[in-house]
């Protein structure tokens, strides 16, 4: 079927104040480990604030913001050791404008994962990326006035949070609000003294197994489940006896973990495991400066439960186990530094980092975006180019995440406890999940469902 997204024009947005410094920003071992993945965020708005863009103040405000982001406008380069870095050269960001042959409401009801990828130019990094724009912005105009802004990037030097905050900085600048420059310096880990965390056996085994896993090529499907504030609040009150401090992530991760395993079928000869992805950028951000770190700040860990326990445990009990696991990560920084040490230890002779491997999977993986909930209005939905005109929906997509499945628990435009859960599963399993009575009993709205090659 032909695409409903038709390109109109392409241009390059450059910094309004080019630096020309040629500074090089080396990428870390953690950045290199993410190299198999690409990423994209798509912001949907009910009205189009752009006008023509080509001669519009929107383009001027973007150029102003890009002055603060040399790692966005630069280009990929190799160090003498063969490692990736971003060279500051003011080459700019590719911007594409398109028109979409559907209204916004029609699109959210009918578009599949492959079509949504057309809104953000999601693509893998080419073998020779030296003139390639590793950040791309796409402005998609729907029939009837809606618009979607897609930001795509290579996961080598950014994560979905970074891309979201880049777009928010652009929106704030367009409204005339001051914007602080991000932190671009890669984090400094604890020195190699006696107090340095030694990589734990569990950390080493988990990441070692991931690095050796065979990529799984299976046709996947994705659907976004939208849960209301009242529903999540009610469910949290029902599991309060098991976990009084449960977050919406704990609840929904537990629910989908149990239901997906039910569909896959529990195997008595192996534990039920879930890889959990959390954000740790607060560890090297200064709360006084209010500046955020721009780059990869994701930590993957694993929680395992015996099959007979997963079968026996109520939803609240599983949510409590998830809560304790995530809380322990937040309180014990050593696990995170241990992971960084393990990744650094894989350097080849001469200092070159080891090849990347699949981080989002191939095992069942759940991503928490709870760090983006700021009071009653999440960062994503505070991205307003026009005052009081917040996005009606925000999607996050990850490339090359095939396998057992990927779930992302994200804020919703309703605010409060409301959450969206993007689920990617093998096609047959997704069809069953969309008819699962335990999930349907919570009356979710389903958006952006379909198949992905």
């Amino acid at each position: 079927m032909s695409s409903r997204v038709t390109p109109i024009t392409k241009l390059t947005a450059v910094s309004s104040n080019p630096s020309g410094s040629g500074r090089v920003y080396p990428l870390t071992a953690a950045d290199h480990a993410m190299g198999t993945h690409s990423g994209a965020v798509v912001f949907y708005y009910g009205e189009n604030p752009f006008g023509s863009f080509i001669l519009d103040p929107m383009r001027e405000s973007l150029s102003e913001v890009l002055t603060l982001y040399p790692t966005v406008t630069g280009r990929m380069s190799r160090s003498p050791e063969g490692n990736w870095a971003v060279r500051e050269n003011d080459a700019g960001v590719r911007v594409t404008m398109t028109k979409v042959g559907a209204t916004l409401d029609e699109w959210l009801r009918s578009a599949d994962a492959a079509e949504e990828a057309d809104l953000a130019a999601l693509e893998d990094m080419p073998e020779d990326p030296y003139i390639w724009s590793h950040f791309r912005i796409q402005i998609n105009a729907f029939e009837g006035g809606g618009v979607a802004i897609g930001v795509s990037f290579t996961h080598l030097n950014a994560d979905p949070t970074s891309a979201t905050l880049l777009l928010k900085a652009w929106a704030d600048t367009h409204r005339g609000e001051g914007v602080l420059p991000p932190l671009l310096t890669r984090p400094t880990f604890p020195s190699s003294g006696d107090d340095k965390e030694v990589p734990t056996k569990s950390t080493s085994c988990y990441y070692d197994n991931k690095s050796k896993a065979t990529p799984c090529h299976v046709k996947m499907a994705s659907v976004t489940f939208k849960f209301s504030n009242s529903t999540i609040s009610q469910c949290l009150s029902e599991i309060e006896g098991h976990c009084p401090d449960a977050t919406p992530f704990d609840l929904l991760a537990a629910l989908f973990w149990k239901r997906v395993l039910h569909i896959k079928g529990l195997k008595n000869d192996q534990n039920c495991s879930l890889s959990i992805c959390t954000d740790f950028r607060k560890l090297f951000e200064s709360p006084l400066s209010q500046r955020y770190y721009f780059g990869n700040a994701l930590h993957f860990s694993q929680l395992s439960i015996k099959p007979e326990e997963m079968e026996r445990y109520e939803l609240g009990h599983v949510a409590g186990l998830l809560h304790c696991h995530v809380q322990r990560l937040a309180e014990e920084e050593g696990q995170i530094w241990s992971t960084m040490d393990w990744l650094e230890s894989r350097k080849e002779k001469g200092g070159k980092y080891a090849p990347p491997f699949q981080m989002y999977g191939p095992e069942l993986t759940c991503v928490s975006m709870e760090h983006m909930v700021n009071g009653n209005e999440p960062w994503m939905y505070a991205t307003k180019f026009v005052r009081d005109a917040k996005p009606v929906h925000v999607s996050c997509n990850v490339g090359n995440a095939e396998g057992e499945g990927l779930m992302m628990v994200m804020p919703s435009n309703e605010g409060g406890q409301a959450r969206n859960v993007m689920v990617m599963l093998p096609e047959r399993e997704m069809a069953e999940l969309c008819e699962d009575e335990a999930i349907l009993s919570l009356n979710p709205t389903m958006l952006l469902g379909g198949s992905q090659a």
Side-chain angles (χ1 to χ4, degrees), residues 172-193:
D172 291 345
T173 299
H174 185 72
R175 297 200 321 274
E177 296 187 9
V179 175
L180 292 172
L183 298 172
L184 299 175
T185 305
R186 306 293 164 172
T188 300
F189 303 118
S191 60
S192 56

PDB file of all heavy atoms in Angstrom, residues 172-193:
ATOM      1  N   ASP A 172      10.052  26.203  23.737  1.00  0.00           N
ATOM      2  CA  ASP A 172      10.212  27.281  24.718  1.00  0.00           C
ATOM      3  C   ASP A 172      10.840  28.517  24.076  1.00  0.00           C
ATOM      4  O   ASP A 172      10.436  29.659  24.348  1.00  0.00           O
ATOM      5  CB  ASP A 172      11.072  26.812  25.888  1.00  0.00           C
ATOM      6  CG  ASP A 172      10.378  25.761  26.753  1.00  0.00           C
ATOM      7  OD1 ASP A 172       9.147  25.607  26.614  1.00  0.00           O
ATOM      8  OD2 ASP A 172      11.065  25.099  27.546  1.00  0.00           O
ATOM      9  N   THR A 173      11.840  28.296  23.227  1.00  0.00           N
ATOM     10  CA  THR A 173      12.497  29.414  22.547  1.00  0.00           C
ATOM     11  C   THR A 173      11.515  30.135  21.630  1.00  0.00           C
ATOM     12  O   THR A 173      11.499  31.372  21.555  1.00  0.00           O
ATOM     13  CB  THR A 173      13.700  28.910  21.739  1.00  0.00           C
ATOM     14  OG1 THR A 173      14.645  28.315  22.628  1.00  0.00           O
ATOM     15  CG2 THR A 173      14.377  30.046  20.977  1.00  0.00           C
ATOM     16  N   HIS A 174      10.692  29.374  20.943  1.00  0.00           N
ATOM     17  CA  HIS A 174       9.719  29.992  20.036  1.00  0.00           C
ATOM     18  C   HIS A 174       8.724  30.866  20.792  1.00  0.00           C
ATOM     19  O   HIS A 174       8.282  31.895  20.269  1.00  0.00           O
ATOM     20  CB  HIS A 174       8.974  28.909  19.258  1.00  0.00           C
ATOM     21  CG  HIS A 174       8.041  29.455  18.234  1.00  0.00           C
ATOM     22  ND1 HIS A 174       8.471  30.052  17.066  1.00  0.00           N
ATOM     23  CD2 HIS A 174       6.686  29.523  18.208  1.00  0.00           C
ATOM     24  CE1 HIS A 174       7.433  30.456  16.360  1.00  0.00           C
ATOM     25  NE2 HIS A 174       6.337  30.150  17.039  1.00  0.00           N
ATOM     26  N   ARG A 175       8.405  30.481  22.033  1.00  0.00           N
ATOM     27  CA  ARG A 175       7.477  31.279  22.838  1.00  0.00           C
ATOM     28  C   ARG A 175       8.188  32.430  23.550  1.00  0.00           C
ATOM     29  O   ARG A 175       7.557  33.173  24.300  1.00  0.00           O
ATOM     30  CB  ARG A 175       6.782  30.403  23.879  1.00  0.00           C
ATOM     31  CG  ARG A 175       5.902  29.299  23.291  1.00  0.00           C
ATOM     32  CD  ARG A 175       4.887  28.799  24.318  1.00  0.00           C
ATOM     33  NE  ARG A 175       5.447  28.720  25.656  1.00  0.00           N
ATOM     34  CZ  ARG A 175       6.110  27.691  26.153  1.00  0.00           C
ATOM     35  NH1 ARG A 175       6.310  26.615  25.390  1.00  0.00           N
ATOM     36  NH2 ARG A 175       6.589  27.694  27.370  1.00  0.00           N
ATOM     37  N   GLY A 176       9.493  32.560  23.346  1.00  0.00           N
ATOM     38  CA  GLY A 176      10.228  33.673  23.934  1.00  0.00           C
ATOM     39  C   GLY A 176      10.745  33.415  25.326  1.00  0.00           C
ATOM     40  O   GLY A 176      11.168  34.351  26.014  1.00  0.00           O
ATOM     41  N   GLU A 177      10.734  32.144  25.771  1.00  0.00           N
ATOM     42  CA  GLU A 177      11.252  31.828  27.094  1.00  0.00           C
ATOM     43  C   GLU A 177      12.742  31.498  27.015  1.00  0.00           C
ATOM     44  O   GLU A 177      13.230  30.968  26.019  1.00  0.00           O
ATOM     45  CB  GLU A 177      10.487  30.650  27.688  1.00  0.00           C
ATOM     46  CG  GLU A 177       9.010  30.939  27.922  1.00  0.00           C
ATOM     47  CD  GLU A 177       8.323  29.814  28.674  1.00  0.00           C
ATOM     48  OE1 GLU A 177       9.030  28.912  29.158  1.00  0.00           O
ATOM     49  OE2 GLU A 177       7.081  29.851  28.769  1.00  0.00           O
ATOM     50  N   GLY A 178      13.468  31.810  28.076  1.00  0.00           N
ATOM     51  CA  GLY A 178      14.893  31.518  28.113  1.00  0.00           C
ATOM     52  C   GLY A 178      15.155  30.027  28.208  1.00  0.00           C
ATOM     53  O   GLY A 178      14.405  29.287  28.853  1.00  0.00           O
ATOM     54  N   VAL A 179      16.211  29.583  27.561  1.00  0.00           N
ATOM     55  CA  VAL A 179      16.578  28.163  27.553  1.00  0.00           C
ATOM     56  C   VAL A 179      18.042  28.028  27.958  1.00  0.00           C
ATOM     57  O   VAL A 179      18.913  28.706  27.404  1.00  0.00           O
ATOM     58  CB  VAL A 179      16.373  27.548  26.145  1.00  0.00           C
ATOM     59  CG1 VAL A 179      16.869  26.109  26.118  1.00  0.00           C
ATOM     60  CG2 VAL A 179      14.905  27.607  25.751  1.00  0.00           C
ATOM     61  N   LEU A 180      18.300  27.147  28.926  1.00  0.00           N
ATOM     62  CA  LEU A 180      19.674  26.887  29.336  1.00  0.00           C
ATOM     63  C   LEU A 180      20.308  25.857  28.404  1.00  0.00           C
ATOM     64  O   LEU A 180      19.623  24.953  27.922  1.00  0.00           O
ATOM     65  CB  LEU A 180      19.701  26.343  30.769  1.00  0.00           C
ATOM     66  CG  LEU A 180      19.283  27.316  31.869  1.00  0.00           C
ATOM     67  CD1 LEU A 180      19.177  26.574  33.202  1.00  0.00           C
ATOM     68  CD2 LEU A 180      20.267  28.464  31.984  1.00  0.00           C
ATOM     69  N   PRO A 181      21.609  25.972  28.135  1.00  0.00           N
ATOM     70  CA  PRO A 181      22.267  24.952  27.308  1.00  0.00           C
ATOM     71  C   PRO A 181      22.300  23.629  28.043  1.00  0.00           C
ATOM     72  O   PRO A 181      22.372  23.586  29.275  1.00  0.00           O
ATOM     73  CB  PRO A 181      23.674  25.520  27.098  1.00  0.00           C
ATOM     74  CG  PRO A 181      23.894  26.441  28.260  1.00  0.00           C
ATOM     75  CD  PRO A 181      22.549  27.025  28.570  1.00  0.00           C
ATOM     76  N   PRO A 182      22.238  22.512  27.330  1.00  0.00           N
ATOM     77  CA  PRO A 182      22.297  21.199  27.977  1.00  0.00           C
ATOM     78  C   PRO A 182      23.718  20.867  28.415  1.00  0.00           C
ATOM     79  O   PRO A 182      24.683  21.539  28.027  1.00  0.00           O
ATOM     80  CB  PRO A 182      21.830  20.254  26.865  1.00  0.00           C
ATOM     81  CG  PRO A 182      22.309  20.928  25.617  1.00  0.00           C
ATOM     82  CD  PRO A 182      22.143  22.407  25.863  1.00  0.00           C
ATOM     83  N   LEU A 183      23.854  19.822  29.206  1.00  0.00           N
ATOM     84  CA  LEU A 183      25.168  19.278  29.549  1.00  0.00           C
ATOM     85  C   LEU A 183      25.576  18.321  28.442  1.00  0.00           C
ATOM     86  O   LEU A 183      24.907  17.316  28.206  1.00  0.00           O
ATOM     87  CB  LEU A 183      25.104  18.536  30.887  1.00  0.00           C
ATOM     88  CG  LEU A 183      24.719  19.357  32.120  1.00  0.00           C
ATOM     89  CD1 LEU A 183      24.515  18.429  33.317  1.00  0.00           C
ATOM     90  CD2 LEU A 183      25.789  20.383  32.417  1.00  0.00           C
ATOM     91  N   LEU A 184      26.668  18.632  27.753  1.00  0.00           N
ATOM     92  CA  LEU A 184      27.114  17.817  26.634  1.00  0.00           C
ATOM     93  C   LEU A 184      28.297  16.938  26.980  1.00  0.00           C
ATOM     94  O   LEU A 184      28.630  16.011  26.238  1.00  0.00           O
ATOM     95  CB  LEU A 184      27.480  18.717  25.441  1.00  0.00           C
ATOM     96  CG  LEU A 184      26.344  19.573  24.882  1.00  0.00           C
ATOM     97  CD1 LEU A 184      26.874  20.488  23.787  1.00  0.00           C
ATOM     98  CD2 LEU A 184      25.227  18.692  24.338  1.00  0.00           C
ATOM     99  N   THR A 185      28.949  17.216  28.101  1.00  0.00           N
ATOM    100  CA  THR A 185      30.104  16.425  28.508  1.00  0.00           C
ATOM    101  C   THR A 185      29.648  15.072  29.005  1.00  0.00           C
ATOM    102  O   THR A 185      28.752  14.981  29.847  1.00  0.00           O
ATOM    103  CB  THR A 185      30.896  17.139  29.615  1.00  0.00           C
ATOM    104  OG1 THR A 185      31.255  18.432  29.165  1.00  0.00           O
ATOM    105  CG2 THR A 185      32.146  16.356  29.959  1.00  0.00           C
ATOM    106  N   ARG A 186      30.252  14.041  28.492  1.00  0.00           N
ATOM    107  CA  ARG A 186      29.891  12.696  28.902  1.00  0.00           C
ATOM    108  C   ARG A 186      30.229  12.490  30.374  1.00  0.00           C
ATOM    109  O   ARG A 186      31.186  13.070  30.891  1.00  0.00           O
ATOM    110  CB  ARG A 186      30.630  11.661  28.052  1.00  0.00           C
ATOM    111  CG  ARG A 186      30.428  11.866  26.559  1.00  0.00           C
ATOM    112  CD  ARG A 186      28.991  11.614  26.119  1.00  0.00           C
ATOM    113  NE  ARG A 186      28.725  12.176  24.797  1.00  0.00           N
ATOM    114  CZ  ARG A 186      27.612  11.971  24.122  1.00  0.00           C
ATOM    115  NH1 ARG A 186      26.654  11.237  24.628  1.00  0.00           N
ATOM    116  NH2 ARG A 186      27.434  12.531  22.948  1.00  0.00           N
ATOM    117  N   PRO A 187      29.453  11.669  31.088  1.00  0.00           N
ATOM    118  CA  PRO A 187      29.620  11.542  32.536  1.00  0.00           C
ATOM    119  C   PRO A 187      30.982  10.976  32.925  1.00  0.00           C
ATOM    120  O   PRO A 187      31.546  10.130  32.239  1.00  0.00           O
ATOM    121  CB  PRO A 187      28.500  10.582  32.938  1.00  0.00           C
ATOM    122  CG  PRO A 187      28.201   9.814  31.698  1.00  0.00           C
ATOM    123  CD  PRO A 187      28.398  10.790  30.577  1.00  0.00           C
ATOM    124  N   THR A 188      31.499  11.447  34.037  1.00  0.00           N
ATOM    125  CA  THR A 188      32.724  10.906  34.609  1.00  0.00           C
ATOM    126  C   THR A 188      32.348   9.892  35.676  1.00  0.00           C
ATOM    127  O   THR A 188      31.631  10.207  36.625  1.00  0.00           O
ATOM    128  CB  THR A 188      33.570  12.027  35.241  1.00  0.00           C
ATOM    129  OG1 THR A 188      33.898  12.987  34.231  1.00  0.00           O
ATOM    130  CG2 THR A 188      34.847  11.461  35.827  1.00  0.00           C
ATOM    131  N   PHE A 189      32.814   8.672  35.515  1.00  0.00           N
ATOM    132  CA  PHE A 189      32.464   7.614  36.448  1.00  0.00           C
ATOM    133  C   PHE A 189      33.457   7.588  37.603  1.00  0.00           C
ATOM    134  O   PHE A 189      34.537   8.183  37.534  1.00  0.00           O
ATOM    135  CB  PHE A 189      32.435   6.279  35.715  1.00  0.00           C
ATOM    136  CG  PHE A 189      31.492   6.278  34.560  1.00  0.00           C
ATOM    137  CD1 PHE A 189      31.943   6.086  33.267  1.00  0.00           C
ATOM    138  CD2 PHE A 189      30.139   6.512  34.757  1.00  0.00           C
ATOM    139  CE1 PHE A 189      31.071   6.113  32.194  1.00  0.00           C
ATOM    140  CE2 PHE A 189      29.261   6.541  33.695  1.00  0.00           C
ATOM    141  CZ  PHE A 189      29.727   6.341  32.411  1.00  0.00           C
ATOM    142  N   PRO A 190      33.122   6.904  38.684  1.00  0.00           N
ATOM    143  CA  PRO A 190      34.008   6.860  39.844  1.00  0.00           C
ATOM    144  C   PRO A 190      35.417   6.408  39.460  1.00  0.00           C
ATOM    145  O   PRO A 190      35.606   5.576  38.574  1.00  0.00           O
ATOM    146  CB  PRO A 190      33.331   5.822  40.759  1.00  0.00           C
ATOM    147  CG  PRO A 190      31.890   5.880  40.372  1.00  0.00           C
ATOM    148  CD  PRO A 190      31.874   6.166  38.909  1.00  0.00           C
ATOM    149  N   SER A 191      36.417   6.986  40.116  1.00  0.00           N
ATOM    150  CA  SER A 191      37.805   6.652  39.819  1.00  0.00           C
ATOM    151  C   SER A 191      38.107   5.222  40.240  1.00  0.00           C
ATOM    152  O   SER A 191      37.386   4.607  41.022  1.00  0.00           O
ATOM    153  CB  SER A 191      38.750   7.605  40.547  1.00  0.00           C
ATOM    154  OG  SER A 191      38.551   7.509  41.936  1.00  0.00           O
ATOM    155  N   SER A 192      39.216   4.695  39.729  1.00  0.00           N
ATOM    156  CA  SER A 192      39.541   3.288  39.973  1.00  0.00           C
ATOM    157  C   SER A 192      40.286   3.095  41.285  1.00  0.00           C
ATOM    158  O   SER A 192      41.329   2.476  41.341  1.00  0.00           O
ATOM    159  CB  SER A 192      40.379   2.736  38.811  1.00  0.00           C
ATOM    160  OG  SER A 192      41.536   3.540  38.635  1.00  0.00           O
ATOM    161  N   GLY A 193      39.737   3.621  42.348  1.00  0.00           N
ATOM    162  CA  GLY A 193      40.332   3.436  43.666  1.00  0.00           C
ATOM    163  C   GLY A 193      39.689   2.272  44.386  1.00  0.00           C
ATOM    164  O   GLY A 193      38.939   1.483  43.818  1.00  0.00           O
TER     165      GLY A 193
END
